[in-house]
Amino acid sequence: MPYSTLISVLQLQTLMRSGQPLMVFDCSFDLAQPALGAAQYRQAHIPGALHADLDQHLSARHGAPGADGAVMASATDLPASGGRHPLPSRERFATWLSDIGFTNDMQAVVYDRNGANYCGRLWWMLQWAGHDAVAVLNGGLQAWQAAGGALATGDEATHKATHFASHFVLREPLRQLVSVQQVQAALGDSAQTLIDARGAPRYRGEVEPLDPVAGHIPGALNRPFSENLGADGCFKNADQLHAEFTALLQGRSPATVVHHCGSGVSAIPNLLAMEVAGLGPTALFAGSWSEWCSDPSRPVERG
């Protein structure tokens, strides 16, 4: 059976020795210094891992400037969501996967050195592309190093060199993407439970370092994504996560949950944690707060 939520360092090492089709991705990134993730990757990464950059590979390009504003080269370049880190179309994502030699028979393992903040994006996108065999390395690069795992430096050759005919085929989405229009239409409806993964001060509207408006979507619950990890940097066990999310939901059905954050990235650890706890799958509003607050007519709640 493929790994589809978390994978331990020992399990990854066993998988690497097995010779089974595998691709490992280092998704390290830094919002304040976008080039830092690639630099950190080149300094140290799991041998064979490719770098998947949030801005370059896991977000849609915002368009090239033209005489009449932003233009797109083709329909496949249209983003699948709004917000500061819009999702690329599934077709554009599949093209990138094919370009690096990723195929449908491969197990993907994703990690970062940022508390699973960024690697979850690729985990979710692969599920959205219909690929179930993708797992987050529990504890990230820190866990790999703590276990004595070898490290490599520099860049790695893509698998394209040995998979000349590689072609990733899109399949039915395994995870649900929700639009801002859907979120707004269901606002206040018991069939939708919003969970905001941003830190409590941003949720309450006390500070807002990134977006033009402070606050949160009315009715949204708050669970900062960092609360899913223990002191060792690994996800808490399933029983503890189940108890914490059950307490947060206060009787609401897990099936109604729609996750969001500032730009659709740090919401994923909450979504993944609910699956580890046996409470998923749940939906993602990828545009998140940055898309919601871009329209001044949408309501905002503070406190």
Side-chain angles (χ1 to χ4, degrees), residues 22-294:
L22 169 71
M23 191 174 287
V24 181
F25 295 89
D26 184 317
C27 303
S28 301
F29 191 75
D30 189 295
L31 280 178
Q33 303 177 73
L36 182 60
Q40 290 176 327
Y41 163 79
R42 293 187 183 100
Q43 290 169 0
H45 60 263
I46 294 174
L50 300 182
H51 187 239
D53 188 88
L54 175 62
D55 281 349
Q56 299 299 316
H57 308 127
L58 308 181
S59 297
R61 300 194 182 281
H62 290 269
D68 299 312
V71 296
M72 297 291 177
S74 67
T76 58
D77 287 319
L78 293 173
S81 70
R84 278 183 284 105
H85 291 105
L87 285 167
S89 68
R90 291 192 343 131
E91 294 76 14
R92 177 57 61 197
F93 179 51
T95 297
W96 175 69
L97 292 172
S98 296
D99 285 347
I100 61 173
F102 188 80
T103 55
N104 294 81
D105 66 339
M106 286 182 173
Q107 169 74 53
V109 173
V110 301
Y111 74 89
D112 59 34
R113 62 201 81 201
N114 314 94
N117 189 11
Y118 299 109
C119 64
R121 170 80 157 205
L122 181 52
W123 173 84
W124 186 91
M125 288 176 66
L126 280 164
Q127 296 279 358
W128 179 53
H131 191 80
D132 185 52
V134 53
V136 169
L137 179 61
N138 203 8
L141 185 65
Q142 292 88 340
W144 176 269
Q145 291 179 279
L151 294 173
T153 60
D155 290 312
E156 300 276 357
T158 68
H159 288 220
K160 190 70 172 181
T162 54
H163 292 76
F164 295 103
S166 66
H167 181 60
F168 181 81
V169 179
L170 288 171
R171 293 175 177 155
E172 284 298 309
L174 301 175
R175 297 298 180 274
Q176 183 185 3
L177 174 63
V178 175
S179 69
V180 68
Q181 293 83 8
Q182 290 172 297
V183 170
Q184 189 162 9
L187 209 60
D189 192 320
S190 61
Q192 174 178 265
T193 303
L194 297 170
I195 296 182
D196 188 329
R198 295 176 300 160
R202 285 187 72 194
Y203 166 82
R204 292 192 296 263
E206 297 167 3
V207 297
E208 183 45 68
L210 298 170
D211 295 308
V213 179
H216 60 265
I217 301 173
L221 307 175
N222 184 218
R223 179 179 171 85
F225 76 92
S226 58
E227 293 184 4
N228 298 303
L229 306 181
D232 59 356
C234 294
F235 277 78
K236 297 173 182 175
N237 65 54
D239 289 342
Q240 186 172 354
L241 290 170
H242 189 284
E244 292 178 4
F245 276 100
T246 299
L248 177 70
L249 292 174
Q250 295 183 330
R252 301 173 182 87
S253 170
T256 67
V257 169
V258 177
H259 295 275
H260 68 284
C261 52
S263 63
V265 179
S266 59
I268 305 298
N270 277 349
L271 189 152
L272 176 58
M274 286 192 69
E275 296 200 19
V276 172
L279 298 172
T282 47
L284 174 68
F285 168 33
S288 289
W289 177 249
S290 56
E291 182 175 17
W292 181 267
C293 73
S294 66

